[in-house]
Amino acid sequence: MQRKPEWLKVRFNQSAVREVAELMQGLNLNTVCKEANCPNLGECYLKHTATFMILGNICTRNCRFCNVATGRPLPPDPREPENVARAARKLGLRHVVVTCSTRDDLPDGGAEQFARTVRALRETCPGVTVETLISDMKGDPGSLDIVLAAHPDVLNHNVETVQELQKAVRPQASYERSLGVLRYCKEKDPTILTKTGFMVGLGETEEQIDRLMDDILATGCDILTIGQYLQPSPQHYPLARYVTPDEFAHYKELALRKGFRHVASAPLARSSYKAWEVLEDVHDLY
């Protein structure tokens, strides 16, 4: 594996990580920060924030870029929505991001658990804004409608990579399905901000990135995140290269020129990284 450049090296406060980790463990909760081995874990935990991962820590898919474990998951925990809300109140969160492991084993893909979690957060933490980072739920309109009915402030679903690399990187997903999820949600409820993200450094070309941005923008998507792919292990999809900060600045400028309302483009940018600041910026601009 290639040596990381200096701009990707991070350090964090172990006591802050331990404090948030113990809170999550005590409430039987998971965070994508830990399960996906996110490089921003330390910074986010130090600021008393985290991205909650509902529906367990076992995924029914096996995407080659992802560090989340694959296997046969347990049934959804009925106490999970309330426990997420309790943790959010304990951490004093203003903006809560809720994601999930993909649950193709559930008829609704976990949509009802998302909706219950959004409602529990609103009841327990008045004034909180909520971002749902959902799986594609097999593109089922009925499942997406359940999430939309709970009216999250932001509906996030990641396209992950350019069209040409989809089958190699996320073989059980679909480029058109992911775009369709974003398009359907924006058309169904235009008042909900839609958001997506993709990685670079997997071998994509500039032309492919340009076309990907156009395809995403055509769905009506408001917010775009672009970050560096970090290979979790030698068994995962191979890293092609480390993209420089100057290149990320170029991607941001390009995406803003195309018409996205907000763009977070940086080596350590992730779909939920500094999500509160992103939401504030969008509201300030519009």
Side-chain angles (χ1 to χ4, degrees):
M1 297 175 71
Q2 302 177 44
R3 175 178 289 186
K4 286 183 183 178
E6 285 299 318
W7 63 78
L8 284 172
K9 294 180 181 178
V10 294
R11 297 173 179 82
F12 51 82
N13 185 306
Q14 291 288 352
S15 63
V17 171
R18 195 160 45 246
E19 180 183 354
V20 178
E22 288 173 357
L23 171 64
M24 299 300 173
Q25 186 176 18
L27 291 171
N28 194 32
L29 296 174
N30 300 293
T31 68
V32 74
C33 321
K34 176 177 178 292
E35 301 303 330
N37 197 23
C38 179
N40 301 313
L41 179 148
E43 180 181 351
C44 292
Y45 278 18
L46 183 60
K47 293 179 179 178
H48 279 220
T49 187
T51 297
F52 297 98
M53 188 169 80
I54 63 173
L55 297 165
N57 60 355
I58 303 295
C59 185
T60 55
R61 296 188 187 176
N62 190 23
C63 296
R64 293 193 61 206
F65 70 90
C66 185
N67 197 56
V68 176
T70 302
R72 181 176 294 177
L74 296 172
D77 179 358
R79 298 169 297 177
E80 189 173 57
E82 289 72 25
N83 284 341
V84 168
R86 289 173 60 194
R89 183 175 60 188
K90 179 75 173 178
L91 290 168
L93 302 184
R94 295 174 297 177
H95 182 70
V96 180
V97 183
V98 182
T99 189
C100 68
S101 54
T102 300
R103 295 296 299 266
D104 290 331
D105 60 312
L106 300 174
D108 69 351
E112 183 57 38
Q113 192 81 332
F114 264 109
R116 290 185 59 218
T117 303
V118 173
R119 291 194 293 266
L121 283 163
R122 295 259 168 76
E123 291 170 5
T124 305
C125 310
V128 72
T129 52
V130 184
E131 180 171 330
T132 52
L133 174 51
I134 64 171
S135 66
D136 62 30
M137 298 181 177
K138 298 183 179 179
D140 175 52
S143 298
L144 297 173
D145 285 347
I146 292 171
V147 179
L148 293 171
H151 203 78
D153 298 272
V154 181
L155 190 292
N156 190 345
H157 171 66
N158 286 332
V159 177
E160 304 293 7
T161 187
V162 298
Q163 183 175 16
E164 291 79 3
L165 295 177
Q166 290 283 324
K167 288 185 178 179
V169 174
R170 53 201 296 254
Q172 294 155 288
S174 160
Y175 184 71
E176 290 301 331
R177 185 194 296 162
S178 287
L179 291 174
V181 166
L182 293 168
R183 184 180 301 108
Y184 179 84
C185 292
K186 177 54 74 175
E187 290 176 353
K188 185 76 175 184
D189 190 342
T191 68
I192 297 176
L193 292 168
T194 52
K195 178 178 178 181
T196 193
F198 64 87
M199 306 168 287
V200 290
L202 297 99
E204 64 287 325
T205 68
E206 294 298 305
E207 292 76 17
Q208 290 168 352
I209 291 173
D210 188 80
R211 189 161 57 250
L212 171 60
M213 288 184 185
D214 288 342
D215 287 347
I216 292 170
L217 193 61
T219 70
C221 187
D222 302 288
I223 302 167
L224 177 65
T225 63
I226 310 168
Q228 171 70 55
Y229 169 58
L230 296 174
Q231 187 180 6
S233 78
Q235 287 70 49
H236 285 80
Y237 193 84
L239 170 72
R241 72 185 185 97
Y242 288 115
V243 179
T244 68
D246 285 346
E247 289 175 283
F248 277 104
H250 165 70
Y251 296 147
K252 178 174 182 176
E253 181 182 354
L254 175 62
L256 287 172
R257 284 205 313 266
K258 285 180 180 291
F260 286 96
R261 292 174 66 171
H262 184 95
V263 181
S265 177
L268 290 174
R270 294 296 182 266
S271 55
S272 55
Y273 181 51
K274 296 185 177 179
W276 167 253
E277 287 92 333
V278 170
L279 190 60
E280 277 191 322
D281 286 348
V282 171
H283 286 164
D284 287 344
L285 287 169
Y286 296 86

